Amino acid sequence: MILYLKYDPHVTMECFIKDLMRSMGVPYNKISAFEIQVDPTANVEQINSISQFLANYNIEINNDTKQQLVIQIKEHIIFMIKNNVNEKLSTFLSEKMDYSYRYLSMIFSEVTYSSIENFYIFQKIEYVKRLAISQNLTLTEIAYKLNYCNVAHLSRQFKKTTGLTFQEFQKIIVGREKLKSKLQ
Amino acid sequence: MGSEKLHFTLVSGDDRHKNDIIKGISRVPIKTKMNHYDDCDTFTEFLKNIEITSYHVVLIDMDDPINVGMDCLKTIRRDSSYSDIVVICYMREEDKNRVEQIFVEGGNIFFSYPQTSAKFHEVLKELVRINWQIYTTGTSIQNLVLKL
């Protein structure tokens, strides 16, 4: 029997790290998929043991400042999307991170070879797909949920990002589900 | 993100594609490693003997009569050990029904083989960039369906 899994990698990662910190008894203040804010009372041995444990899963502690900045940008963008923050991307990021948007854009492109806007739209469309699959929402419902001014705008953005219409995407997902059932 | 590479494997018996793709990908400023197999059987043998630890992308020539690209896609997708591999399929000319079948069978990205070298370079650059983004953000490839 094959068990097919559905999950959100960011939520999974967050749960994994929280469980790890609790099981190792390391005090922390905040955890996200990309960041652990270790409490100042934690000692060096505890931090080293986390680092060693994570290495078993190919997860490294990142000491490169540019990459840390990129990780924070991504984290804020994912927060914006999931929490429906209806603010201009550049204003939100520069206010949250205390750097000019121009500087953040430059660092982001240098490290990821992609623009912040591009990353934002890509992640937003990934979120649209997840909502369509996991909650069976229509494009109109998703557009409303994500504060789009109209469904046509989201529809165009979906097509531009994926090369497919939302209906074509849905047809493929239905086809995959049917195929899975047939193969079981 | 610093020292990692994207690992690309091309499965195509067409020498022109092999040269174009290997050369094109090496020009993109993201670190990549490229392998090539003429046919699906040799490629699946290779898969059986390696442990997929890095981000792995397979490009399949769907028009190749010897390789039978669709069978190759099915072989990869019906083995759960390869579920993290991103599968890119390409054809010389786009056929709507076949493209849909490719996606249903688990292909992640599709592109029509570009006619001009400028367009070809643009497509390869986009392919590498998209994969780098997926890799560095830990985006799940479960719902990854893109047509370039």
Side-chain angles (χ1 to χ4, degrees):
Chain A
M1 185 177 69
I2 302 170
L3 303 175
Y4 294 99
L5 309 175
K6 265 187 188 174
Y7 60 92
D8 178 333
H10 296 113
V11 175
T12 312
M13 186 65 184
E14 220 174 287
C15 295
F16 167 72
I17 295 176
K18 275 183 187 163
D19 284 349
L20 166 71
M21 298 297 276
R22 281 188 204 117
S23 68
M24 294 181 101
V26 183
Y28 64 88
N29 297 324
K30 193 185 153 204
I31 280 175
S32 68
F34 299 105
E35 192 180 83
I36 307 171
Q37 278 183 22
V38 181
D39 192 89
T41 56
N43 58 44
V44 180
E45 285 80 27
Q46 285 177 312
I47 292 170
N48 285 342
S49 59
I50 298 167
S51 173
Q52 280 165 15
F53 188 86
L54 291 175
N56 295 330
Y57 294 87
N58 269 344
I59 303 169
E60 289 173 39
I61 307 274
N62 196 342
N63 294 315
D64 182 314
T65 48
K66 282 183 183 174
Q67 286 184 10
Q68 282 172 0
L69 215 53
V70 168
I71 288 169
Q72 284 174 31
I73 295 170
K74 289 174 179 172
E75 182 81 348
H76 285 307
I77 289 176
I78 287 161
F79 175 86
M80 274 186 94
I81 296 169
K82 288 190 174 170
N83 293 282
N84 243 336
V85 177
N86 205 5
E87 208 177 316
K88 208 175 161 196
L89 179 64
S90 54
T91 315
F92 182 81
L93 288 178
S94 50
E95 275 175 8
K96 284 277 176 195
M97 299 183 66
D98 226 4
Y99 284 106
S100 75
Y101 185 68
R102 201 178 158 188
Y103 176 73
L104 293 174
S105 296
M106 192 187 75
I107 298 292
F108 194 89
S109 303
E110 192 184 312
V111 176
T112 66
Y113 304 96
S114 187
S115 69
I116 290 181
E117 289 79 8
N118 200 300
F119 174 80
Y120 175 70
I121 293 169
F122 189 84
Q123 290 301 320
K124 206 163 186 180
I125 297 301
E126 280 305 304
Y127 190 56
V128 169
K129 288 183 196 171
R130 279 208 294 275
L131 288 175
I133 295 169
S134 61
Q135 295 181 27
N136 260 331
L137 298 183
T138 63
L139 199 61
T140 309
E141 288 166 332
I142 296 170
Y144 178 75
K145 194 178 165 79
L146 299 183
N147 290 329
Y148 275 82
C149 49
N150 60 56
V151 69
H153 180 206
L154 174 58
S155 177
R156 277 195 302 273
Q157 206 172 60
F158 191 94
K159 168 83 176 151
K160 200 179 167 199
T161 311
T162 63
L164 300 162
T165 64
F166 185 72
Q167 288 71 26
E168 284 168 336
F169 172 75
Q170 279 182 313
K171 205 174 163 194
I172 290 162
I173 297 302
V174 170
R176 283 185 176 182
E177 293 296 327
K178 278 185 188 164
L179 183 67
K180 269 182 202 171
S181 317
K182 205 174 129 186
L183 294 173
Q184 270 173 343
Chain B
M1 283 189 279
S3 57
E4 295 92 335
K5 287 179 180 173
L6 296 181
H7 193 151
F8 283 85
T9 302
L10 170 67
V11 186
S12 171
D14 187 317
D15 283 341
R16 188 173 72 90
H17 288 183
K18 187 174 86 175
N19 292 335
D20 287 352
I21 292 174
I22 292 175
K23 204 191 285 177
I25 285 185
S26 69
R27 280 185 193 159
V28 178
I30 293 172
K31 286 178 195 164
T32 53
K33 188 182 169 189
M34 186 89 209
N35 276 13
H36 167 257
Y37 292 92
D38 280 326
D39 60 81
C40 193
D41 290 343
T42 334
F43 167 64
T44 42
E45 268 311 303
F46 153 77
L47 275 185
K48 278 179 202 162
N49 295 312
I50 60 155
E51 196 189 343
I52 311 280
T53 49
S54 59
Y55 186 89
H56 208 116
V57 183
V58 178
L59 283 128
I60 305 176
D61 180 353
M62 301 304 283
D63 288 325
D64 196 326
I66 305 158
N67 286 338
V68 200
M70 190 58 82
D71 289 344
C72 193
L73 170 64
K74 287 178 184 173
T75 308
I76 300 169
R77 279 297 171 248
R78 291 181 192 175
D79 187 330
S80 57
S81 351
Y82 310 139
S83 58
D84 288 338
I85 293 180
V86 175
V87 181
I88 301 175
C89 299
Y90 68 88
M91 285 160 64
R92 282 143 196 88
E93 275 177 40
E94 190 178 320
D95 173 314
K96 206 180 166 198
N97 291 333
R98 274 199 83 199
V99 174
E100 190 184 314
Q101 197 197 350
I102 286 167
F103 284 134
V104 168
E105 287 291 348
N108 299 112
I109 302 175
F110 174 85
F111 71 95
S112 300
Y113 203 87
Q115 298 299 317
T116 66
S117 63
K119 179 74 184 156
F120 181 74
H121 187 65
E122 206 178 289
V123 168
L124 284 187
K125 203 172 147 190
E126 185 64 0
L127 281 176
V128 177
R129 192 194 60 74
I130 287 169
N131 279 288
W132 184 251
Q133 189 178 117
I134 294 163
Y135 170 49
T136 54
T137 52
T139 305
S140 162
I141 67 155
Q142 204 181 6
N143 306 323
L144 178 65
V145 181
L146 291 178
K147 186 156 78 78
L148 296 184

